[in-house]
Amino acid sequence: MAINIVLLGPPGAGKGTQAKRLEARYGLVQLSTGDMLRAAVAAGTATGLRAKAVMEAGKLVDDEILIAMISDRLGQADARRGAIFDGFPRTVPQAEALDRLLVSMGRRVDHVIELQVDEAALVERISGRFTCKSCGAGYHDRFQPPRVAGICDACGASEFVRRADDNADTVRRRLAEYHAKTAPILPYYRARGRLRGVDGMADMDRVTAELEAVVGSLPPGAA
Ligand code: ADP
Ligand code: ADP
Ligand code: ZN
């Protein structure tokens, strides 16, 4: 049986950080639509060309693009044991499409977990964020610096990247989009009895432990 987990929360809540940890812990694949879109922009695909300016403005990319992207991705072999959705769904139509898609595959959204954060902390979290250019490991100037300055803990590389949209102005616009378009999916999932909240302000290990308590241990062979 596959297991599918949706992580919700505003920009900087810790979705990517925790998705990577759950990926390793449960043998699931992290599906970050932000990462997929950035890859499309870097590759200059038709989707990337459409998405670039929208992302730079801190707005949401069209549902139809995102739904097609997730549908393709779920059909790939590494997603057969299930997925951790990071940054998707972000609108009610996306949430409805995900339910339909999973049902058509004989699956469901098993857990929806909201990382609850104090918005005053988000600008600092996001302005300090950077990732390893080679392996994508995530870091923070203050909260999670590499063990050896300038060297990736995970792969030893020494080049890092910062996102163009991780500046205070764009973050405020992304937060406004979150409230207008993404927060309405909280009642969507709550009405279906699937929503749980976890304190995203705790330190990273504590958040991971709370997520594991919600997801529980998978029965042998389940993954
Ligand atoms: P999201 O994917 O929700 O936008 P990230 O996982 O990228 O968020 O986290 C944003 C930044 O905050 C990263 O630099 C990360 O290292 C840091 N971070 C994540 N979780 C915590 C936490 N619990 N406490 C402090 N900093 C955190
Ligand atoms: P965050 O760190 O804010 O959670 P992401 O990396 O998930 O950021 O997303 C970056 C940008 O990519 C968003 O601001 C938006 O423009 C676009 N994007 C990512 N996922 C979606 C989605 N599910 N629907 C619409 N736009 C998306
Ligand atoms: Zn690395």
Side-chain angles (χ1 to χ4, degrees), residues 56-102:
E56 279 169 3
K59 299 286 202 181
L60 293 186
V61 177
D62 290 348
D63 287 338
E64 142 226 342
I65 293 186
L66 271 295
I67 293 165
M69 195 175 252
I70 281 290
S71 166
D72 277 2
R73 192 62 188 82
L74 276 177
Q76 291 170 22
D78 62 344
R80 72 184 182 284
R81 299 158 90 177
I84 305 152
F85 295 89
D86 158 16
F88 182 95
R90 251 180 165 98
T91 63
V92 171
Q94 290 181 19
E96 291 168 345
L98 180 62
D99 276 340
R100 279 196 303 272
L101 196 59
L102 289 175

Side-chain angles (χ1 to χ4, degrees), residues 9-196:
K15 303 180 296 296
T17 302
Q18 298 299 332
K20 286 199 170 62
R21 292 176 174 206
L22 295 180
E23 187 174 43
R25 165 77 171 75
Y26 293 104
L28 305 174
V29 64
Q30 172 194 11
L31 298 188
S32 161
T33 45
D35 286 349
M36 292 177 207
L37 288 167
R38 281 184 288 279
V41 170
T45 65
T47 296
L49 293 174
R50 273 178 77 180
K52 187 169 191 286
V54 178
M55 293 171 77
E56 279 169 3
K59 299 286 202 181
L60 293 186
V61 177
D62 290 348
D63 287 338
E64 142 226 342
I65 293 186
L66 271 295
I67 293 165
M69 195 175 252
I70 281 290
S71 166
D72 277 2
R73 192 62 188 82
L74 276 177
Q76 291 170 22
D78 62 344
R80 72 184 182 284
R81 299 158 90 177
I84 305 152
F85 295 89
D86 158 16
F88 182 95
R90 251 180 165 98
T91 63
V92 171
Q94 290 181 19
E96 291 168 345
L98 180 62
D99 276 340
R100 279 196 303 272
L101 196 59
L102 289 175
V103 166
S104 76
M105 302 171 82
R107 303 188 195 174
R108 66 192 296 262
V109 175
D110 298 284
H111 301 283
V112 181
I113 307 169
E114 180 195 8
L115 293 174
Q116 295 167 326
V117 287
D118 168 4
E119 289 195 4
L122 296 179
V123 171
E124 184 183 11
R125 277 211 191 166
I126 289 177
S127 21
R129 163 162 70 185
F130 61 98
T131 53
C132 171
K133 194 173 175 184
S134 310
C135 76
Y139 295 97
H140 191 280
D141 292 322
R142 175 161 160 224
F143 303 126
Q144 195 185 17
R147 282 193 291 272
V148 179
I151 307 288
C152 175
D153 297 348
C155 78
S158 56
E159 275 192 83
F160 297 89
V161 287
R162 288 180 194 260
R163 283 168 46 181
D165 60 343
D166 276 354
N167 58 74
D169 262 9
T170 311
V171 171
R172 276 188 275 274
R173 257 173 283 139
R174 282 154 62 198
L175 266 176
E177 284 284 89
Y178 181 81
H179 288 295
K181 297 184 182 148
T182 306
I185 70 182
L186 297 172
Y188 173 88
Y189 284 125
R190 197 176 291 121
R192 286 160 180 76
R194 275 184 273 170
L195 183 67
R196 297 285 296 272

